[in-house]
Amino acid sequence: MEPQGSAQTASPTRDLWQHRHLTAAFMDLELHSCDLAQAFIQADKLDKGMNGRVFVQPPQGVTEDANVVYEVLRPLYGIPSSAQALYLTLSKWFKDQGFDTAGFEDSVWVQETGGKYPHRDRLIVSVHIDDTLMACESLTTLQAFKSEFLTCFEGMDEGEVTTYLGCELIRDRANHLIVFRQAV
């Protein structure tokens, strides 16, 4: 097995993730979030690397022949390349839906105006492992997108963002302001 570097195991995360929130504030976009349930298990298995072939011993209490091992069929928490498997699965889905990545931001996808959802407004979706932020001018478009997204991926619609990645989000839409406050 070849050694695994960060290119084979990592999932892109936003370097300037606050920038997208500031854009939502400035443009007065709807800003919602969804959380994927047991996200790595929903990912497609990678063809190579650590997720290519992983074997485990039977769980404690299961009586098997001493030579029996189980092959892991889905990416799991704790396997180094599971985050990359999830990213590649999400990336394929977003591209199939007509999204493109936002410049150098590999974890931000944009569907420009004219997309397939009601009102055909621009959608911006930012993903940090299993936490997603979704921004759009139209609440109707955003709800249609979230419904389709959560039909394909099991998760929870968390509605309008009030917390994200352990920070409280305070939004003053009238003044186009978003404040992040880390809880103590």
Side-chain angles (χ1 to χ4, degrees):
M1 181 185 300
E2 56 188 59
Q4 297 296 302
S6 63
Q8 289 85 28
T9 62
S11 173
T13 55
R14 295 165 310 283
D15 290 331
L16 303 171
W17 62 275
Q18 287 119 338
H19 173 71
R20 298 295 166 195
H21 301 110
L22 296 174
T23 300
F26 180 73
M27 297 176 67
D28 194 31
L29 301 177
E30 300 293 334
L31 185 60
H32 286 219
S33 67
C34 289
D35 183 50
L36 295 178
Q38 300 188 22
F40 293 153
I41 293 173
Q42 297 187 60
D44 296 328
K45 185 176 171 185
L46 295 175
D47 293 333
K48 59 182 181 173
M50 292 295 287
N51 280 345
R53 298 208 65 191
V54 175
F55 297 92
V56 295
Q57 294 177 332
Q60 217 172 14
V62 174
T63 54
E64 291 280 358
D65 182 298
N67 297 323
V68 170
V69 293
Y70 296 115
E71 182 175 2
V72 175
L73 299 179
R74 306 295 300 176
L76 298 173
Y77 286 94
I79 296 176
S81 58
S82 292
Q84 185 187 35
L86 178 61
Y87 165 75
L88 293 172
T89 301
L90 290 170
S91 185
K92 180 184 181 320
W93 186 84
F94 280 118
K95 288 176 183 174
D96 289 349
Q97 303 305 311
F99 284 76
D100 291 313
T101 53
F104 64 89
E105 295 277 8
D106 287 338
S107 62
V108 178
W109 289 273
V110 177
Q111 185 179 69
E112 295 297 340
T113 56
K116 68 180 188 174
Y117 300 101
H119 301 291
R120 303 167 65 85
D121 293 325
R122 175 193 294 168
L123 272 162
I124 303 169
V125 182
S126 175
V127 178
H128 182 84
I129 311 295
D130 60 349
D131 296 308
T132 62
L133 282 180
M134 303 163 178
C136 186
E137 186 175 333
S138 163
L139 183 58
T140 304
T141 300
L142 191 58
Q143 288 172 331
F145 170 76
K146 288 191 302 182
S147 176
E148 184 170 355
F149 181 75
L150 293 172
T151 297
C152 296
F153 298 98
E154 184 184 342
M156 185 168 64
D157 180 350
E158 296 181 331
E160 192 167 351
V161 178
T162 56
T163 60
Y164 189 68
L165 300 178
C167 294
E168 179 183 17
L169 185 140
I170 302 163
R171 187 163 186 192
D172 178 353
R173 291 184 81 162
N175 293 308
H176 302 281
L177 179 67
I178 288 181
V179 175
F180 291 97
R181 183 169 50 199
Q182 188 171 8
V184 227

